[in-house]
Amino acid sequence: AVHLASHGAVSAPDAPTGCDPEPRANLVLDLARPGAERGWVGRRVRVGGAVLEITREPQRCLGVYCSVVEAGTVRVGDEVLLDG
């Protein structure tokens, strides 16, 4: 599983106290709406050459868990594309 979170998730109203996504998440995104990834469960996202399916929210931390649908290279600055 891949743990994906946004930088701004820490400031989201439902963020658990003391939970910082950066040390735990495999992939940390800059999103226009901090914490938006929590509404993506059941959808797919393309980041660079990888496609991830958002499977669930963690119970005690920020962000979401994903499964890898298509493996690929992800680099700093890659575009994040959410399916339709």
Side-chain angles (χ1 to χ4, degrees):
V2 173
H3 182 191
L4 179 153
S6 64
H7 282 286
V10 175
S11 62
D14 61 344
T17 56
C19 188
D20 183 353
E22 298 203 35
R24 298 175 185 235
N26 303 97
L27 185 59
V28 180
L29 305 176
D30 284 321
L31 300 175
R33 249 186 45 227
E37 70 277 12
R38 300 197 95 193
W40 297 352
V41 175
R43 298 182 71 184
R44 289 184 179 191
V45 62
R46 176 177 291 278
V47 182
V51 177
L52 306 172
E53 184 170 344
I54 314 302
T55 56
R56 66 184 176 91
E57 292 180 19
Q59 291 182 359
R60 295 185 193 109
C61 204
L62 303 168
V64 291
Y65 288 126
C66 313
S67 60
V68 177
V69 176
E70 281 181 43
T73 302
V74 177
R75 293 182 178 92
V76 172
D78 279 346
E79 189 172 23
V80 177
L81 301 170
L82 191 60
D83 67 353

